[in-house]
Amino acid sequence: MADRLGALASFLCAIHCALLPFVLALLPLFGLGFLADHRFERGFVVFACLLALLSLGHGYRRHHRPRPLLLALPGLALLLLGVTLAEGSIAVHSTLVTCGGLLVACGHWVNLRTDRAYAHVHGRYCVH
């Protein structure tokens, strides 16, 4: 469940970051001006990082496959760089957080698939 939520949140974050430069002027018209606030974005990135580390760490303990972490960790680094160091340039900021969000979403998706493929053991207590 955490990987599904993480993948959805990361994907929505990537969409938000990719489209924000184009719709920045329209957000207040729809009552969505808070989406352009740096505090909202930082909070969202912190939430995404914590969720990713928890769910991917749990997944790694179950299936011992590093691929999800190898996708998500650079993505988390790009997200953190984008919301801390690149706020001065909207193009660099948008590029970093969009790519970071997509990598984290891919990490969650791969973790979900890997967990399904390698972690489930059918035994006598299996319910299906």
Side-chain angles (χ1 to χ4, degrees):
M1 183 64 163
D3 279 317
R4 288 185 179 118
L5 178 62
L8 177 65
S10 299
F11 185 68
L12 291 175
C13 179
I15 290 172
H16 162 263
C17 296
L19 295 179
L20 189 61
F22 302 108
V23 296
L24 198 55
L26 298 175
L27 288 177
L29 293 173
F30 298 109
L32 301 173
F34 70 94
L35 291 174
D37 189 2
H38 290 295
R39 290 176 295 184
F40 173 80
E41 187 174 34
R42 286 183 188 136
F44 196 82
V45 167
V46 167
F47 171 74
C49 289
L50 291 174
L51 182 63
L53 291 174
L54 287 173
S55 66
L56 294 169
H58 178 70
Y60 181 77
R61 284 192 306 274
R62 286 177 45 91
H63 55 66
H64 300 288
R65 306 280 188 221
R67 183 179 289 164
L69 290 170
L70 294 175
L71 285 168
L73 291 178
L76 293 174
L78 290 175
L79 283 172
L80 292 172
L81 282 172
V83 297
T84 56
L85 301 177
E87 285 185 348
S89 169
I90 191 75
V92 174
H93 170 80
S94 295
T95 302
L96 288 175
V97 292
T98 300
C99 292
L102 289 173
L103 281 172
V104 173
C106 288
H108 280 294
W109 186 79
V110 169
N111 192 50
L112 183 63
R113 296 292 173 211
T114 304
D115 194 47
R116 285 184 178 172
Y118 293 103
H120 186 74
V121 177
H122 292 278
R124 65 183 189 159
Y125 298 111
C126 186
V127 294
H128 62 102

